[in-house]
Amino acid sequence: MIGVFDSGHGGLTVLKALRDQFPHLPFLYLGDHANAPYGNRLSEEVVTLTQQGVEALFQHGCKLVVLGCNTATSIACRSLQQTWLPNSQWQDHNVLGIIAPTVEVATQTPWGVTEPQYPQMHKEDVIGVFATQRTIDSGVFTEEIKKRCPQMQVVGQACAQLAGLIEAGAPEDALDKLVGDYVAALLAQLDGKFPHFAILGCTHYPLVEPLFARHLPPSCRVLSQPKIAAQALDHYLRRHVNYVEGCTAGSALKLMTTGDVELVEQRLVIDWPGRPAFQAYNSP
Ligand code: DGL
C-alpha cells in the first residue's frame, strides 16, 4: 500500500492524480486536519507532525509514503529521509517529497544533477512560486532551481491565508480576490517582467488553479503539481518495485483524518465518483 500524507485535504489533488496513474494500486491517505494549516506553523512543529503522520501510515502497512504537502516537504522531508528513517525501525521504508519532481520539471534537470548543465545553464526563464509562508521562507524552490539553472529568476510569493480559506470552504469571490492580490504582489516584485511560468507550490492551490490562470498574464504557464507527482512516482516505482511487490492487486483506497470526520466531509472541495468517505484516524 502507498501512503499519501497532507496537512489537510489539499493532498487529495495529488492522491487523485496518483489514483488515475495507478488505478490498481492500493492507497491510504492521511490528512492531518486536526493540526492544519501547517503553512504558518513553526518548523519544529511541522517536522514533528510530519514524522508522526508518516509513521502512522507506516504502522498501517504503507512501505512508501508520498508527502503531498509542500510545507511538510520543504521543512521535514530531508531530515526524515537522512536522519530519522536510517535510525528508526523503518529502514526498509521510504518517504518521498513533492518538491524534487517539481524542480525537475521546472529546470528540465534530473534531481541527481546539482550543477548547472548545458543547455539549462543558459535558461533565463522567470518563475513565480506561490506557496505557504513556511515554504517560501524555507527558500527551497529558489535554492534548488538556481543550483541547476543559475540564470533563472525565481520569485516567491507567500499566500499566507489561502490554504486555510480553501480548507474552510470560503466562497469563490473571496478566494478570487485573495488570489488576485497574491498574483498582483508577485508581479510587483518583477518590475514589469512577466513570469514564463508559475509553480502552484501548495497542494490546495490546484483547487483554485482557474483563479490563478485568470489573474496571471495569459502567456504564463501554470505548473501544477498533481500530474508531476504522478509521473515522478511512476518513474520511481519502475526503479523500486520492492515498494509495491507485496501489494494485493485491487483498487483499495482508504481516507483517514485526524480531524472531525463530519466537518471534513462537509468542507471537501474536491471529489470524484466512488471516493470513499473519510474515516477517523485510529492507531493500528
Ligand atoms: N498542504 C500544504 C502545502 O502543500 C498547505 C496547507 C497548509 O498550510 O497546511 O504546502
Side-chain angles (χ1 to χ4, degrees):
M1 200 157 39
I2 296 185
V4 178
F5 178 73
D6 188 59
S7 57
H9 57 241
L12 291 182
T13 54
V14 174
L15 176 71
K16 168 86 172 53
L18 299 182
R19 290 280 296 170
D20 291 347
Q21 180 89 16
F22 303 100
H24 302 300
L25 275 186
F27 285 93
L28 176 58
Y29 182 89
L30 176 60
D32 190 11
H33 292 87
N35 296 300
Y38 279 14
N40 302 324
R41 282 185 176 277
L42 296 174
S43 298
E44 299 75 37
E45 292 177 315
V46 175
V47 173
T48 305
L49 292 170
T50 306
Q51 182 182 318
Q52 281 169 1
V54 169
E55 188 151 37
L57 287 163
F58 287 167
Q59 284 166 343
H60 275 270
C62 301
K63 279 193 83 177
L64 181 66
V65 170
V66 176
L67 295 180
C69 187
N70 286 265
T71 310
T73 303
S74 61
I75 303 300
C77 191
R78 194 166 287 174
S79 82
L80 295 191
Q81 289 169 333
Q82 296 180 359
T83 312
W84 175 62
L85 272 180
N87 296 300
S88 73
Q89 57 171 306
W90 309 108
Q91 284 161 19
D92 57 344
H93 290 50
N94 204 4
V95 50
L96 301 176
I98 196 160
I99 289 176
T102 312
V103 168
E104 286 186 321
V105 170
T107 60
Q108 294 295 297
T109 308
W111 186 248
V113 175
T114 53
E115 301 273 309
Q117 312 272 310
Y118 181 82
Q120 284 88 340
M121 194 170 170
H122 301 290
K123 262 195 175 178
E124 291 179 355
D125 287 349
V126 176
I127 307 181
V129 180
F130 296 93
T132 63
Q133 188 72 53
R134 190 58 61 227
T135 301
I136 294 296
D137 288 350
S138 78
V140 65
F141 277 108
T142 308
E143 184 191 323
E144 296 297 345
I145 289 171
K146 289 192 79 78
K147 226 188 249 177
R148 295 161 177 87
C149 298
Q151 294 186 42
M152 277 188 169
Q153 185 179 357
V154 187
V155 176
Q157 178 59 46
C159 307
Q161 295 175 49
L162 189 54
L165 282 186
I166 295 172
E167 191 86 23
E172 183 171 329
D173 54 348
L175 296 173
D176 187 51
K177 161 91 178 61
L178 201 58
V179 169
D181 289 349
Y182 289 137
V183 169
L186 180 124
L187 294 177
Q189 295 183 59
L190 282 171
D191 293 331
K193 276 195 232 167
F194 282 168
H196 293 90
F197 57 98
I199 294 175
L200 301 189
C202 170
T203 51
H204 291 66
Y205 302 171
L207 296 168
V208 289
E209 189 173 327
L211 305 184
F212 276 99
R214 182 184 298 165
H215 291 285
L216 283 163
S219 58
C220 177
R221 195 160 64 94
V222 175
L223 261 194
S224 84
Q225 295 179 314
K227 265 194 212 131
I228 293 175
Q231 279 159 9
L233 185 62
D234 194 7
H235 291 153
Y236 185 82
L237 290 179
R238 281 169 204 265
R239 288 176 283 123
H240 303 275
V241 270
N242 54 308
Y243 287 113
V244 280
E245 254 161 15
C247 289
T248 41
S251 51
L253 171 63
K254 192 171 163 187
L255 311 180
M256 298 189 302
T257 174
T258 58
D260 178 324
V261 171
E262 251 178 64
L263 209 60
V264 168
E265 282 290 329
Q266 252 173 39
R267 290 180 171 177
L268 218 56
V269 271
I270 166 170
D271 210 351
W272 61 88
R275 177 189 65 80
F278 269 91
Q279 300 175 21
Y281 167 73
N282 286 314
S283 47

